[in-house]
Amino acid sequence: KAGVTQTPRYLIKTRGQQVTLSCSPISGHRSVSWYQQTPGQGLQFLFEYFSETQRNKGNFPGRFSGRQFSNSRSEMNVSTLELGDSALYLCASSRADTDTQYFGPGTRLTVL
Amino acid sequence: AQKVTQAQTEISVVEKEDVTLDCVYETRDTTYYLFWYKQPPSGELVFLIRRNSFDEQNEISGRYSWNFQKSTSSFNFTITASQVVDSAVYFCALSEASGNTGKLIFGQGTTLQVKP
């Protein structure tokens, strides 16, 4: 079974721009969660989607948004990028909300 | 409040030594799940083990073993006869059954360096 895939793997953007990251979950997994990893704050939960509905959201500003499609693929969008948004963004999928989450390789975003 | 604490920031051992990574958690839920993940330099988080709050049976899997103690809210992880390939950052994580769907709460991670 193919694992979680994330595209692109690397991104360089400038302040004020927006960015869209994509995540394809493991086949059959309907829950997709997103995390931000930075050296200072560690791994922090962004949001979780299940059957195209956002069910949970972490403590991030409204510039961070996401969506999930009918095939369970998910995208997250960050608008008006700030330097502090530079991070590794990890996507994870699971069959259900309390099931084990399996992670993708991440997208490393650099904001200049 | 939910919290995971990994007090060890970095551990350095010589190959073949045993090493234990500590994890202490806080939660008000009676049903919760605990995980260990490994993050090698490539960046991908690799799932190692999951335990639910009703299963305190400790387990050994090859060179890995886990010690879950509800009385002390600890979920420690031991690597026996460490190898250079074990070098990575190890994360302990907590998931609660109620109210926090799809959310893992991570500790700050422990960087393990295994020297040849």
Side-chain angles (χ1 to χ4, degrees), chain A residues 20-81:
Chain A
T20 299
L21 313 182
S22 181
C23 171
S24 292
I26 293 170
S27 177
H29 286 193
R30 296 169 65 190
S31 172
V32 174
S33 297
W34 288 88
Y35 296 85
Q36 181 197 65
Q37 185 177 24
T38 59
Q41 299 299 316
L43 279 155
Q44 294 185 288
F45 172 76
L46 281 157
F47 29 65
E48 186 254 1
Y49 286 86
F50 185 88
S51 293
E52 303 178 65
T53 301
Q54 185 184 89
R55 297 193 303 183
N56 200 1
K57 190 177 190 311
N59 190 24
F60 279 82
R63 300 185 297 107
F64 291 81
S65 62
R67 59 178 176 168
Q68 187 180 34
F69 302 94
S70 58
N71 62 358
S72 295
R73 190 176 71 84
S74 177
E75 289 181 346
M76 70 163 280
N77 184 77
V78 188
S79 62
T80 320
L81 284 166

Coordinates of all heavy atoms in Angstrom, one line a residue, chain A residues 20-81:
Chain A
T20 N 0.0 26.9 -1.3 CA -0.9 25.7 -1.2 C -0.1 24.5 -1.2 O 0.7 24.2 -2.1 CB -2.0 25.7 -2.3 OG1 -2.8 26.9 -2.3 CG2 -2.9 24.5 -2.1
L21 N -0.3 23.7 -0.1 CA 0.3 22.4 0.0 C -0.7 21.3 -0.2 O -1.8 21.4 0.3 CB 1.0 22.3 1.4 CG 1.8 23.5 1.9 CD1 2.4 23.2 3.2 CD2 2.9 23.8 0.9
S22 N -0.2 20.1 -0.7 CA -1.1 19.1 -1.0 C -0.7 17.8 -0.3 O 0.5 17.5 -0.1 CB -1.2 18.8 -2.5 OG -2.1 17.8 -2.8
C23 N -1.7 17.0 0.1 CA -1.5 15.7 0.8 C -2.5 14.7 0.3 O -3.7 14.9 0.2 CB -1.8 16.0 2.3 SG -1.8 14.4 3.3
S24 N -1.9 13.5 -0.1 CA -2.7 12.4 -0.5 C -2.6 11.3 0.5 O -1.5 10.8 0.8 CB -2.2 11.9 -1.9 OG -2.5 12.8 -2.9
P25 N -3.7 10.9 1.2 CA -3.6 10.0 2.3 C -3.4 8.5 1.7 O -3.5 8.3 0.6 CB -4.9 10.1 2.9 CG -5.9 10.5 1.9 CD -5.0 11.4 0.9
I26 N -3.2 7.6 2.7 CA -3.1 6.2 2.4 C -4.5 5.8 1.9 O -5.5 6.3 2.4 CB -2.7 5.4 3.6 CG1 -1.2 5.7 3.9 CG2 -2.9 3.9 3.4 CD1 -0.8 5.2 5.3
S27 N -4.6 4.9 0.9 CA -5.8 4.5 0.4 C -6.7 3.9 1.5 O -6.3 3.1 2.3 CB -5.6 3.4 -0.7 OG -6.8 2.9 -1.2
G28 N -8.0 4.4 1.5 CA -8.9 3.9 2.6 C -8.9 4.8 3.8 O -9.8 4.6 4.7
H29 N -7.9 5.6 4.0 CA -7.9 6.5 5.1 C -8.8 7.8 4.8 O -8.6 8.4 3.8 CB -6.5 7.0 5.5 CG -5.7 5.9 6.1 ND1 -4.4 6.1 6.7 CD2 -5.9 4.5 6.2 CE1 -4.0 5.0 7.2 NE2 -4.8 4.0 6.9
R30 N -9.6 8.1 5.8 CA -10.5 9.2 5.6 C -10.2 10.4 6.4 O -10.7 11.5 6.2 CB -12.0 8.8 5.8 CG -12.4 7.7 4.9 CD -13.8 7.1 5.3 NE -14.8 8.1 5.3 CZ -16.0 7.8 5.8 NH1 -16.3 6.7 6.4 NH2 -17.0 8.8 5.7
S31 N -9.3 10.2 7.4 CA -9.0 11.4 8.3 C -7.6 11.9 7.9 O -6.6 11.1 7.7 CB -8.9 10.9 9.7 OG -8.4 11.9 10.6
V32 N -7.5 13.2 7.7 CA -6.2 13.8 7.4 C -5.9 14.9 8.4 O -6.8 15.8 8.6 CB -6.2 14.4 6.0 CG1 -4.9 15.2 5.7 CG2 -6.3 13.3 4.9
S33 N -4.8 14.9 9.0 CA -4.4 15.9 10.0 C -3.1 16.6 9.5 O -2.3 16.0 8.8 CB -4.1 15.3 11.4 OG -5.2 14.7 11.9
W34 N -3.0 17.9 9.8 CA -1.8 18.7 9.4 C -1.1 19.2 10.6 O -1.8 19.6 11.6 CB -2.3 19.9 8.6 CG -2.7 19.5 7.2 CD1 -4.0 19.2 6.8 CD2 -1.9 19.5 6.0 NE1 -4.1 19.0 5.4 CE2 -2.8 19.2 4.9 CE3 -0.6 19.8 5.7 CZ2 -2.4 19.1 3.6 CZ3 -0.2 19.7 4.4 CH2 -1.0 19.3 3.4
Y35 N 0.2 19.2 10.6 CA 1.0 19.7 11.6 C 2.1 20.6 11.1 O 2.6 20.5 10.0 CB 1.7 18.5 12.4 CG 0.8 17.6 13.0 CD1 0.2 16.5 12.3 CD2 0.4 17.7 14.4 CE1 -0.7 15.7 12.9 CE2 -0.4 16.8 15.0 CZ -1.0 15.8 14.2 OH -1.9 15.0 14.8
Q36 N 2.5 21.6 11.9 CA 3.6 22.4 11.6 C 4.8 22.1 12.6 O 4.6 22.0 13.8 CB 3.2 23.9 11.8 CG 4.4 24.9 11.5 CD 4.1 26.3 12.1 OE1 4.0 26.5 13.3 NE2 3.9 27.3 11.2
Q37 N 6.0 21.9 12.0 CA 7.1 21.6 12.9 C 8.2 22.7 12.7 O 8.7 23.0 11.6 CB 7.7 20.3 12.5 CG 8.9 19.9 13.5 CD 9.4 18.5 13.2 OE1 9.4 18.0 12.1 NE2 10.0 17.9 14.2
T38 N 8.5 23.4 13.8 CA 9.6 24.4 13.8 C 10.5 24.1 15.0 O 10.1 23.4 15.9 CB 9.0 25.8 14.0 OG1 8.3 25.8 15.3 CG2 8.1 26.2 12.9
P39 N 11.8 24.6 14.9 CA 12.7 24.3 15.9 C 12.3 24.9 17.3 O 12.5 24.3 18.3 CB 14.0 25.0 15.4 CG 13.9 25.0 14.0 CD 12.4 25.2 13.7
G40 N 11.6 26.0 17.2 CA 11.2 26.7 18.5 C 10.0 26.1 19.1 O 9.9 26.0 20.4
Q41 N 9.0 25.8 18.3 CA 7.7 25.4 18.8 C 7.5 23.9 18.8 O 6.5 23.4 19.3 CB 6.6 26.1 18.1 CG 6.6 27.6 18.3 CD 6.4 28.0 19.7 OE1 5.6 27.5 20.5 NE2 7.3 29.0 20.2
G42 N 8.3 23.2 18.1 CA 8.1 21.7 17.9 C 7.0 21.4 17.0 O 6.7 22.2 16.0
L43 N 6.4 20.3 17.2 CA 5.3 19.8 16.4 C 3.9 20.3 16.9 O 3.6 20.0 18.0 CB 5.2 18.3 16.4 CG 6.2 17.6 15.4 CD1 6.6 16.2 15.9 CD2 5.6 17.6 14.0
Q44 N 3.2 21.1 16.1 CA 2.0 21.6 16.5 C 0.9 21.3 15.6 O 1.0 21.4 14.3 CB 2.1 23.2 16.7 CG 3.0 23.6 17.8 CD 3.0 25.1 17.9 OE1 3.5 25.9 17.1 NE2 2.3 25.6 19.0
F45 N -0.3 20.9 16.1 CA -1.5 20.5 15.3 C -2.1 21.7 14.7 O -2.4 22.7 15.3 CB -2.4 19.8 16.3 CG -3.8 19.5 15.7 CD1 -3.9 18.5 14.8 CD2 -4.9 20.3 16.0 CE1 -5.2 18.2 14.3 CE2 -6.1 20.0 15.5 CZ -6.3 18.9 14.6
L46 N -2.4 21.6 13.4 CA -3.0 22.7 12.6 C -4.5 22.5 12.6 O -5.3 23.3 13.0 CB -2.4 22.8 11.2 CG -1.1 23.6 11.2 CD1 -0.4 23.2 9.9 CD2 -1.4 25.1 11.2
F47 N -4.9 21.4 11.9 CA -6.3 21.0 11.8 C -6.5 19.6 11.3 O -5.5 18.9 10.9 CB -7.1 21.9 10.9 CG -6.3 22.6 9.8 CD1 -5.8 21.8 8.7 CD2 -6.2 23.9 9.7 CE1 -5.0 22.4 7.7 CE2 -5.4 24.6 8.7 CZ -4.9 23.8 7.7
E48 N -7.7 19.1 11.4 CA -8.0 17.7 11.0 C -9.3 17.7 10.2 O -10.2 18.4 10.5 CB -8.2 16.8 12.2 CG -8.4 15.3 11.8 CD -9.8 14.8 12.0 OE1 -10.7 15.6 12.4 OE2 -10.0 13.6 11.7
Y49 N -9.3 16.9 9.1 CA -10.4 16.8 8.2 C -10.9 15.3 8.1 O -10.0 14.4 8.1 CB -10.1 17.3 6.8 CG -10.0 18.8 6.7 CD1 -8.9 19.5 7.0 CD2 -11.2 19.6 6.4 CE1 -8.8 20.8 7.0 CE2 -11.1 20.9 6.3 CZ -9.9 21.6 6.6 OH -9.8 22.9 6.6
F50 N -12.2 15.2 8.1 CA -12.8 13.8 7.9 C -14.0 14.0 7.0 O -14.9 14.8 7.3 CB -13.1 13.3 9.3 CG -13.6 11.8 9.2 CD1 -12.7 10.8 9.3 CD2 -15.0 11.6 9.1 CE1 -13.1 9.5 9.3 CE2 -15.4 10.3 9.1 CZ -14.5 9.2 9.2
S51 N -14.0 13.2 6.0 CA -15.2 13.3 5.1 C -15.5 14.7 4.7 O -16.6 15.2 4.7 CB -16.4 12.6 5.7 OG -16.2 11.2 5.8
E52 N -14.5 15.4 4.3 CA -14.6 16.8 3.7 C -15.0 17.8 4.7 O -15.2 19.0 4.4 CB -15.5 16.8 2.5 CG -15.2 15.9 1.4 CD -16.2 15.9 0.3 OE1 -16.3 16.9 -0.4 OE2 -16.8 14.8 0.0
T53 N -15.0 17.5 6.0 CA -15.4 18.4 7.1 C -14.2 18.6 8.0 O -13.6 17.7 8.5 CB -16.6 17.9 7.8 OG1 -17.7 17.7 6.9 CG2 -17.0 18.8 8.9
Q54 N -14.0 19.9 8.4 CA -13.0 20.2 9.4 C -13.6 19.9 10.7 O -14.6 20.5 11.2 CB -12.5 21.6 9.3 CG -11.4 21.9 10.3 CD -11.0 23.4 10.3 OE1 -11.5 24.2 11.0 NE2 -10.1 23.8 9.4
R55 N -13.0 19.0 11.5 CA -13.6 18.6 12.8 C -12.8 19.2 13.9 O -13.3 19.2 15.0 CB -13.6 17.1 12.9 CG -14.5 16.4 11.9 CD -14.7 14.9 12.3 NE -13.5 14.2 12.4 CZ -13.4 12.9 12.7 NH1 -14.5 12.2 12.9 NH2 -12.2 12.3 12.8
N56 N -11.6 19.6 13.7 CA -10.8 20.1 14.8 C -9.8 21.1 14.3 O -9.3 20.9 13.1 CB -10.0 18.9 15.5 CG -9.6 19.3 16.9 OD1 -9.8 20.3 17.4 ND2 -9.0 18.3 17.6
K57 N -9.4 22.0 15.1 CA -8.5 23.1 14.6 C -7.6 23.5 15.8 O -8.1 23.6 16.9 CB -9.3 24.3 14.2 CG -8.5 25.4 13.5 CD -9.4 26.5 13.0 CE -8.7 27.5 12.1 NZ -7.4 28.0 12.5
G58 N -6.3 23.6 15.4 CA -5.4 24.1 16.4 C -5.4 25.6 16.6 O -6.2 26.3 16.0
N59 N -4.4 26.1 17.4 CA -4.4 27.5 17.7 C -3.5 28.2 16.7 O -2.4 28.7 17.1 CB -3.9 27.6 19.1 CG -4.0 29.1 19.6 OD1 -4.8 29.8 19.1 ND2 -3.2 29.4 20.6
F60 N -4.0 28.4 15.5 CA -3.3 29.1 14.5 C -4.2 30.2 13.9 O -5.4 30.1 13.9 CB -2.9 28.1 13.3 CG -1.6 27.4 13.7 CD1 -1.7 26.2 14.4 CD2 -0.4 27.8 13.2 CE1 -0.5 25.5 14.7 CE2 0.8 27.1 13.5 CZ 0.7 25.9 14.3
P61 N -3.6 31.3 13.4 CA -4.4 32.4 12.8 C -5.2 31.9 11.6 O -4.9 30.9 11.0 CB -3.4 33.4 12.5 CG -2.1 32.7 12.4 CD -2.1 31.6 13.3
G62 N -6.2 32.7 11.3 CA -7.0 32.4 10.1 C -6.3 32.4 8.8 O -6.9 31.9 7.8
R63 N -5.1 32.8 8.7 CA -4.3 32.7 7.5 C -4.1 31.3 7.1 O -3.8 31.0 5.9 CB -2.9 33.4 7.7 CG -3.0 34.9 8.0 CD -1.6 35.5 8.0 NE -0.7 35.0 9.0 CZ 0.3 34.1 8.8 NH1 0.5 33.8 7.5 NH2 1.1 33.7 9.7
F64 N -4.2 30.4 8.1 CA -4.0 29.0 7.8 C -5.4 28.4 7.6 O -6.2 28.4 8.5 CB -3.3 28.3 9.0 CG -1.9 28.7 9.2 CD1 -1.5 29.9 9.8 CD2 -0.8 27.9 8.7 CE1 -0.2 30.3 10.0 CE2 0.5 28.3 8.8 CZ 0.8 29.5 9.5
S65 N -5.5 27.8 6.4 CA -6.8 27.1 6.2 C -6.6 25.8 5.4 O -5.5 25.6 4.9 CB -7.7 28.1 5.3 OG -7.1 28.3 4.1
G66 N -7.6 25.1 5.3 CA -7.5 23.8 4.6 C -8.8 23.3 4.0 O -9.8 24.0 4.2
R67 N -8.7 22.2 3.3 CA -9.9 21.6 2.8 C -9.6 20.2 2.4 O -8.4 19.8 2.3 CB -10.5 22.3 1.6 CG -9.5 22.4 0.4 CD -10.2 23.1 -0.8 NE -9.3 23.4 -1.9 CZ -9.8 23.8 -3.1 NH1 -11.1 24.0 -3.3 NH2 -8.9 23.9 -4.1
Q68 N -10.7 19.4 2.3 CA -10.5 18.0 1.9 C -11.5 17.7 0.8 O -12.7 18.2 0.8 CB -10.8 17.1 3.1 CG -10.5 15.6 2.9 CD -10.7 14.7 4.0 OE1 -11.6 15.0 4.8 NE2 -9.9 13.7 4.2
F69 N -11.1 16.9 -0.1 CA -11.9 16.6 -1.3 C -12.6 15.2 -1.0 O -12.2 14.5 -0.1 CB -11.0 16.6 -2.5 CG -10.3 17.9 -2.8 CD1 -9.0 18.1 -2.3 CD2 -11.0 18.9 -3.4 CE1 -8.4 19.3 -2.5 CE2 -10.3 20.1 -3.6 CZ -9.0 20.3 -3.2
S70 N -13.5 14.9 -2.0 CA -14.2 13.7 -1.8 C -13.4 12.4 -1.9 O -13.8 11.4 -1.4 CB -15.3 13.6 -2.9 OG -14.8 13.7 -4.2
N71 N -12.2 12.5 -2.5 CA -11.3 11.4 -2.5 C -10.3 11.3 -1.3 O -9.4 10.6 -1.3 CB -10.5 11.3 -3.8 CG -9.6 12.6 -4.0 OD1 -9.6 13.5 -3.1 ND2 -8.9 12.6 -5.1
S72 N -10.6 12.2 -0.3 CA -9.9 12.3 0.9 C -8.5 13.1 0.8 O -7.9 13.3 1.8 CB -9.6 10.9 1.6 OG -10.8 10.3 2.0
R73 N -8.2 13.4 -0.4 CA -7.0 14.3 -0.6 C -7.2 15.6 0.1 O -8.4 16.1 0.1 CB -6.7 14.5 -2.1 CG -5.3 15.2 -2.3 CD -5.1 15.2 -3.8 NE -5.9 16.2 -4.5 CZ -5.7 17.5 -4.6 NH1 -4.7 18.0 -4.0 NH2 -6.6 18.3 -5.2
S74 N -6.2 16.2 0.6 CA -6.4 17.4 1.4 C -5.3 18.5 0.9 O -4.3 18.1 0.4 CB -6.2 17.2 2.9 OG -6.3 18.3 3.6
E75 N -5.7 19.7 1.0 CA -4.8 20.8 0.8 C -4.9 21.7 2.0 O -5.9 21.9 2.7 CB -5.3 21.6 -0.5 CG -5.1 20.9 -1.8 CD -5.5 21.7 -3.0 OE1 -6.2 22.7 -2.8 OE2 -5.2 21.3 -4.1
M76 N -3.7 22.4 2.2 CA -3.7 23.5 3.2 C -3.2 24.7 2.5 O -2.3 24.6 1.6 CB -2.9 23.1 4.5 CG -1.4 23.0 4.3 SD -0.6 23.1 5.9 CE -0.6 24.9 6.2
N77 N -3.7 25.8 2.9 CA -3.3 27.1 2.3 C -2.8 28.0 3.4 O -3.4 28.1 4.5 CB -4.5 27.7 1.6 CG -4.2 28.9 0.8 OD1 -3.5 28.9 -0.2 ND2 -4.5 30.1 1.4
V78 N -1.8 28.8 3.1 CA -1.3 29.8 4.0 C -1.3 31.1 3.2 O -0.6 31.2 2.2 CB 0.0 29.5 4.6 CG1 0.4 30.6 5.7 CG2 0.1 28.1 5.2
S79 N -2.0 32.1 3.6 CA -2.1 33.3 2.9 C -1.2 34.4 3.6 O -0.9 34.2 4.8 CB -3.5 33.9 2.8 OG -4.0 34.1 4.2
T80 N -0.8 35.4 2.9 CA 0.0 36.5 3.5 C 1.1 35.9 4.3 O 1.2 36.1 5.5 CB -0.9 37.4 4.3 OG1 -2.1 37.6 3.7 CG2 -0.2 38.8 4.5
L81 N 2.0 35.2 3.7 CA 3.1 34.5 4.4 C 3.9 35.5 5.2 O 4.2 36.6 4.8 CB 4.0 33.8 3.4 CG 3.4 32.5 2.8 CD1 4.2 32.0 1.6 CD2 3.4 31.4 3.9

